[in-house]
Amino acid sequence: MPSPSSTSSSRRARRSLWLGAAVLAVVQAGLYALDLNSPTFFGNQVVSQKYTEALRMVREGPIDVVAVGHSHTVNGFDPAVFEEVTGLRAYNFGLPGTDMQSHATVLRDFVIPHLKPRIVLWNLDPVFGERAVQQSNRRMLSSDAFAVQSWPGGHALLGPLKDLFLYQKRSVDGWFETLADPYVRRYDRSGFMPVYQRLGLEEAGVEYDIPADWLARKRRWRFPVANAIPRRREPAGAPVVVEGDAERREEARATVAATLAEARAAGIEVLAFAAPMARRRFMVDDEFTREITTEGTGSAAWFAELVTEHELPFVNYGYFPPISDDDDLYYNDAHVNVYGARLLTERLARDLVLREEPVPPELRGFPSPLQRRVMEEFRAR
Amino acid sequence: MLFNSVAFAGFFVLVYAVYWRLPKRAQNLFLLAGSLFFYGCWNWRLLPLIVFSATVDYVAGWKVFRAGTPRARRLWMLASIFTNLGLLFFFKYYNFFAESFSDLLALAGLRGSLSTLNIVLPVGISFYTFQSMAYTVDVYRGQLEPCRKYTDFLLYVSFFPQLVAGPIERGRRLLPQIVRPRDPLSLPRRISGLKLLVIGYFQKVAIADTLGVITDAAYANADRANVAVTLVAFFSFTFQVYCDFSGYSKIARGTARLLGIELMLNFNQPFFGRSTQEFWRRWHISLSTWLRDYLYIPLGGSRAAPARVYTNLMITMLAAGVWHGASYNFVIFGLLQGTYLITWRALERRGIGPPRTAPGHVLCCTISVLLFAFSLFFFRGADLAESLALIRGFGVWEGALGLEALLVLFYAALSLALDGFLERALRRRRSHFLGLFSRNWVVETLAFAALVVFTALVGENHAEPFVYFQF
């Protein structure tokens, strides 16, 4: 027979469990009601959000075209414009800060088996050798969302899991920013749409209700982790190793080759493109210009090989005067705003998908003749 | 399969649900299968290694027990030690010694080298070889009877909650629990296991992983470190490694408790230790007591002339350093710990011990922590050059402490508060003013719910490996 003290401690334990469960349920309900979205740039939230959106879209009807790549795709490819021009339904599967290994993994594990598009638009743009990018990329690949989607039937779990507050993890500063900022709270659905692009939307007449002092307040609220810590730059002249470190590079190459073969076997056409950088980006002799000119190192040389070896239809808009020369189409040196995205998407649709005209020779190869020309122009000064 | 991954959550829920529904006789076999599966998820090719290590000690234990002569007993014990240390040497230290040998020859102006091998370091090898080896030594010393069933012994070596990063259990403690059929867990016991999990995940996910981002950024800039970068690295990694490992140990204890098995306490508020000696009695207790029982005391311990005691201390701490990894950095880490211990002991011999007043207590705790934190430059640095570059940052009076320093401060305070208050309350030290946590179940429950919410809402959003998994 249990002693009175053990009965009372059991009762207390049971009550404690119920109270704890109730508190957690209230928190979950509160978060649900607030409809908060993670301001974190990388990790589970973006991946699971993308997967869930894509699955929802494919349930409504077949997706014809999927664009994969990193931030250049996120910002540069507009599915609505694409549909306007081609009549094809498209999904933007860009994942910011990721490299070819991530793109290939997403294609192989998710896009090819579950979305079954007719065409894949693959954005071949280097990500630069910052450790931070490589670490983020690894984090993305080792995130729970990637693990869960690889389980049998796991992709169907991502939707419900996404809504659990465990999946809404964000840093202290992220919460501070979110709660303090009505703009982020209301509109930043996935947290990776950069501020300047959103300002571009506002200029375009989209009602986004941005407070006048938003930028100033944003600067005040931000908690940059590396505030006092300078970011490491590669020494001048050093070979730039991107797309993961040297060890992972072979792995990435193998994954990309296997994925391309799988796509072909599934009857999917893979088309490749590079997104335009602002003209001023070519002025400085830095990682970027070295990356696209140094032969035998970095991603550019690999991309060139890839295009030739797999006979991928390819357009290099890396330097594309109608977009690159117009600063009003950018919110920073590397990323176009909504106007730039509209132009780029239209060109992609016409040049690469509809193939209204053959790709001119100055938009072929890595680097393209146009890229070489603009760099030489700046060097000559 | 990391403890902080969805995969582990799924695995553990499944194991827990099936385990308690099985007849008692089948529970151990099921746990063994689960443990081997867990280890196989890291690298199934290395499963034979752990089975081999366990088999050697199981056989050696019986041979020692049944040997007719002291010499035979001793030989079997030595066979076990050499086998385990041989495995450890081959997988963990061979390349280091081969490279060091070549460097030494080069210093002497001679040519020659031992070729290095492309060896995979088996996860947790330092932990399970020490645990397995200690069993044979205990049997040799007559402190333990050999385990009857081979599968029980294999479970003792491979029990998944403590397999990859300890605590390094002793046969005397763990084996009787494994052999004895387990009674159903009471609800309060299950809740106490859950509480350990909550604190462990809080330490790991909310504190250690967040500090890890800052530490990584600081170490990535070691070659251009200034005083601000170095200070951030100094404090950030100290609290990161503590919360990471202490968090792991609590998760291990919590999961084991939910399976009806008690693992030893591995951390006992180390930052409240008033000397390096006290610090090591509270930090990674399973390793420090292992080294005390199987190395320091056999060397002669403290019952010898001062010079001999100092030598014993230095050898023991050097072993502790090298146990962590094969590099000069860990050698220096060990040497520093040895030096600290010798210095504290020498001071005590001259009657200069930790004062009994509260300010004196705080001062001694602070000194002890700062000394340890300094040695961590060598623990964390990828190589000697990186560690020294960061230390040189103390002399570069540039840069300013940014908001990341505030974050470090916040998390350090949180970590100390958790250690000082909540844990203490958890152990029912009602004399403490925050004994309220243990007296009032509502307050206690709300505190733990707050930890869960905090972990979920501000934790790093990916499964970051535990620091000690590399050992």
Side-chain angles (χ1 to χ4, degrees), chain A residues 160-229:
Chain A
L161 281 180
K162 181 176 74 67
D163 292 328
L164 276 181
F165 70 79
L166 273 172
Y167 266 75
Q168 297 191 356
K169 285 180 194 167
R170 60 193 82 195
S171 55
V172 172
D173 49 309
W175 271 105
F176 203 36
E177 185 176 307
T178 307
L179 294 174
D181 195 326
Y183 179 66
V184 171
R185 202 159 63 234
R186 280 189 220 161
Y187 302 112
D188 193 6
R189 306 291 304 177
S190 53
F192 59 76
M193 188 190 263
V195 51
Y196 297 106
Q197 192 188 32
R198 287 181 296 203
L199 291 177
L201 288 173
E202 187 196 36
E203 285 164 20
V206 181
E207 287 293 324
Y208 271 85
D209 190 21
I210 301 172
D213 63 339
W214 191 78
L215 264 180
R217 287 198 302 112
K218 186 170 174 64
R219 269 195 288 276
R220 201 166 68 233
W221 293 128
R222 269 187 92 89
F223 245 161
V225 162
N227 195 29
I229 301 171

Side-chain angles (χ1 to χ4, degrees), chain A residues 25 42 82 102 106 197 204 213 228 241 250 260 272-273 296 299 302-303 365:
Chain A
F42 301 103
F82 190 83
S102 301
V106 166
Q197 192 188 32
D213 63 339
V241 179
E250 287 311 308
L260 285 171
F273 71 100
S299 305
W302 173 29
F303 294 160

Side-chain angles (χ1 to χ4, degrees), chain B residues 3-48:
Chain B
F3 276 4
N4 48 339
S5 68
V6 174
F8 179 76
F11 166 77
F12 184 69
V13 166
L14 192 72
V15 166
Y16 180 82
V18 175
Y19 173 78
W20 287 112
R21 279 168 180 74
L22 288 174
K24 287 180 180 174
R25 273 181 302 175
Q27 282 180 334
N28 277 0
L29 284 177
F30 178 71
L31 268 191
L32 176 62
S35 297
L36 294 177
F37 172 78
F38 174 82
Y39 195 72
C41 286
W42 295 95
N43 190 343
W44 60 269
R45 290 178 191 85
L46 295 170
L47 270 175

Side-chain angles (χ1 to χ4, degrees), chain B residues 54-69 72-73 76-77 80 132 135-140 144-154 175 179:
Chain B
T55 309
V56 166
D57 282 294
Y58 178 75
V59 173
W62 276 108
K63 291 288 184 188
V64 166
F65 188 68
R66 287 184 175 153
T69 62
R73 283 163 56 80
W76 278 109
M77 183 201 59
S80 153
S132 189
Y135 159 84
T136 316
V137 176
D138 285 351
V139 173
Y140 173 79
L144 180 70
E145 282 201 6
C147 179
R148 289 188 186 283
K149 282 175 79 176
Y150 173 69
T151 50
D152 284 350
F153 184 75
L154 196 52
L175 268 172
V179 172

